[in-house]
Amino acid sequence: MVALAVILSDLLFGMMLGCVFAVVAHGLNLIWGVVKVVNIAHGEFIMLGAYGAYFLNVFGGFNPLLSAVVDGALGIFVGYAFYFSFLHRELRGKERITLRSEMVTLVSTFGLSLFMSNLAVVAFTGDFVGINWSPGTVALGFLELPLGALYVTILAVLIISTSVVFLDRTYIGNAIKAYSQDITATQLVGANPTKVASLATALGFSITMAGGALLTVWIPTGINPYMGALYAPISFVIVVLGGPGKMLGSLLGGLTLGVVIDVLQAFVPVSLAYAVAFLLLIPVLLFRPEGIVK
Amino acid sequence: MRIAGLGVTFFGLLALMLLLLILPFAFPFSTSVILINLLFYTALAYSINFITGMTGYVSFGHVVFLGIGAYALGASADVYGLDPVLGVLLGAALGLVFALAIGLVTLRFRGVYFAISTVVIALAALNIVLELPQLGGSQGIILNLGFQPYSWYYTIWGIVLFEMLITYYINRGKLGLGIRAIKSDEDAARSVGVNVSALKLYLFGLSGLFAGAGGAVFAWTTSGVFPYETFSLTFSLQMLAMIIIGGVGTSLGPILGAVVVYLPSYYFLTVAIGTQLIIIGFAVVVIALFIPEGIVGTLKRRSASLRELLE
Amino acid sequence: MPTLRTEAVSKEFGGVQALKGVTISLPAGSTLGLIGPNGSGKTTLLNIIAGLEKPTSGAVMLGETRIDHLPANAIVKLGVAKTHQIPRPFAEMTTRENVSVAVMYGRRRIKDTKRSLNEADRLLSLLGMDARRDLPASSLTVQEKKRLELARALATGAEVILLDEVFAGLSSDELRDSIQLFRKIRGEVGFSALIVEHVMGAVLTLAERVVVLEEGAKIAEGTPDEVVHNEAVIRAYLGFEENDSPG
């Protein structure tokens, strides 16, 4: 009975961890799926969102959930700025993105990642900081669930499902989907490709930075200029597991990763659990390049 | 077009290497420490140039081979008391073996998929090493090999010389032509008979071999192997930055990139740690977006007379 | 020079039969035309011969050697080369470097750079492209890129060349010139040719025999004259493709 309870709680915590991973990876997934570029500096924007939440807490007394909203709004502007400085030149007037443009973006965003993380060291110092926010726990049978993590899980699922509904049910969402199929098809539905691509990028950044804020609930002392170097690869693995461009794939990939990490931790040291989780990417790319579910 | 016979670049590089051969005798120790580091970064730049510079496959996790080389020397010197020079050879051999094994799988992935698979492999390698008590776990291995600047210097000098010769040899002949075809269009290269998979694996193997040798020298000079430092992604990033700034794929680009990236950072280090990486990061962004050929490529494009001279 | 044969080659894509047991034979030095409406399986058959796809069943034989399990680059080294329907030059390389790659890595495996460049120059002048030698391939016109495709295929030293729609999209003057050029090249370099075309004109002029595919199956085979008078062919092909007047 005790063993069962341990397994159940591992599973539950793994799923909750998976949800926060999912929302952190979701912005990357959106941009990867629609604009077909991978932002290597993705982790640095998660870091930016986390520091946003930290400073809003220190100076404004905001809790991370509230900060996620502010971060999300800021992320729109950051996303537009990113689109027009990094992606526009590569995508303007193209029918589809070329391998060459893919590589240019890979390298330029890699430079950006180096730039941002080291600038953050100068701006924020290299120290680990965190947000002290504990709204208590709730009893669920024999389990004590921390309310903060529960709120984050709910918000994460909400953000991801809203994006699915938005893409399926709204005109502009359909235009984004058309763009992801074929850039020229965007014009067939009467939308301007640049507007569509920049909006998708802005939404992606909004979710990424909001995700960074939500993440702070899970890492009470883990905000650091180099945190992106962990959460970017986690996001890459999640998007590949779920299949780039499949919006629910973020959730599927995140849950898989969260559960794998949390359950493995019961048997092997934490770092090995992470090693296994990272290496999941390889067999998926080899055997299921479209993601683990068709 | 590269026509048989040796060009100005070849003799220029040879002259430079000869100069570097005698330089430690002409300057005090402090300078030769700078030179050792400069050659170490040059070795790393040539190493990643084989795969990323020549084929366009971006190896973000290239540090994994450096780490393997460092641990090869560390463990063999620590446990078996192996001579460090043999440790460097062992590092090179293990770098080669791991590169072939990893390349066999990951070189099937194109574009971003290859790039991110190398990142996760490097991270996984660090996480695995942390849990291997035989390799010292998170403490690493502390060596007591002493201060041997001349041995360090001539070992790394030899590694760089080999890399330059091989790079030049590849770029000049049949191999270089096939590799440029692969970089341009893999499928079309196959359709004229280029054995794409074998050539990519060959280059990845070379890059792993030399990164392994470089990593072993790193462990030797720091007299220890520390997992977080050895597997730091910053190394991968610096390697990439050097060839992007210098000019990808060329014979001159890596050493030029190493000079441009390392020498300023040596001086910045005394001012503020981290500042140099901000500047390097910014430079990479600007170069990737506006002058993707890097220094050497841009000079070649701008001037017809330089085109013949620079390779 | 060996004969190229496909023996009952079938190909299935996710439940769809793209090819249904197609057998063709291309004797040494001959020219075979392969025609059929869009989606009839021509390109699939060509890709299977070139090693770009594997057949679901059946075999591809080059002389006595079975080649359908080999990778594309190995098939080129055995002397079978294919042109791309949409040209795929190595854009950053000059025209002669493009051809030179094929000289070095093709069947002849020439290692010496100078010899391979001379051979590339010879082929380019045969194709009337001397003036384009040192230009980057990206600067060529579409028709020039198509010629470069042919030059590269010839440069591999191929004994069998698979031509995928090289005569498509030409004006009637250009078509006449191209047909003349093709005959001239055949006079200088010996090879067997499998010409896949959607447009029938060039095929009927150049080919000694013609195979007609419809929905993945061979419905007719014979001389150009026999084929254009074949009832099944007229029904399946000409009836729906009135724009493509024969001859």
Side-chain angles (χ1 to χ4, degrees), chain C residues 134-150:
Chain C
D134 293 313
L135 294 179
S138 55
S139 70
L140 302 179
T141 66
V142 175
Q143 288 311 323
E144 285 169 343
K145 284 178 183 163
K146 284 201 163 193
R147 279 192 195 183
L148 176 57
E149 283 285 335
L150 183 57

Side-chain angles (χ1 to χ4, degrees), chain B residues 40 43-44 66 69-70 88 91-92 156 159 163 208-219:
Chain B
F40 169 66
L44 294 187
L66 185 145
V88 172
I156 194 77
I159 293 171
E163 289 180 315
L209 182 148
F210 285 110
V217 174
F218 179 67

Side-chain angles (χ1 to χ4, degrees), chain A residues 223-234:
Chain A
I223 305 171
N224 167 277
Y226 294 115
M227 64 189 280
L230 173 63
Y231 292 101
I234 285 181

Side-chain angles (χ1 to χ4, degrees), chain B residues 24-25 27-29 32 36 147-155 220:
Chain B
F25 295 104
F27 284 99
F29 260 168
S32 53
I36 289 167
F147 187 68
Q148 301 171 297
Y150 287 101
S151 308
W152 299 338
Y153 185 86
Y154 288 107
T155 308
W220 187 9

Side-chain angles (χ1 to χ4, degrees), chain B residues 1 174 180 184-185 191 193, chain C residues 77 88 92 97 104-105:
Chain B
M1 183 64 208
K174 177 177 173 176
R180 285 167 68 209
S184 177
D185 185 336
S191 78
Chain C
K77 287 206 161 68
R88 292 178 78 163
E92 300 80 9
E97 284 176 332
M104 292 181 127
Y105 284 89

Side-chain angles (χ1 to χ4, degrees), chain A residues 39 113 179 203:
Chain A
N39 173 17
S113 129
Y179 188 99
L203 289 176

Side-chain angles (χ1 to χ4, degrees), chain C residues 31 127 143 147 150 163 166-168 170-187 191 195 197 199-207 247:
Chain C
T31 304
L127 283 157
Q143 288 311 323
R147 279 192 195 183
L150 183 57
L163 297 156
V166 283
F167 298 107
L170 297 175
S171 71
S172 56
D173 282 353
E174 287 168 339
L175 186 61
R176 201 174 47 238
D177 290 349
S178 293
I179 288 173
Q180 257 174 18
L181 181 65
F182 184 80
R183 286 190 164 136
K184 181 180 139 207
I185 296 165
R186 280 300 283 276
F191 57 88
I195 307 181
E197 284 294 325
V199 185
M200 287 175 75
V203 175
L204 299 180
T205 314
L206 290 170

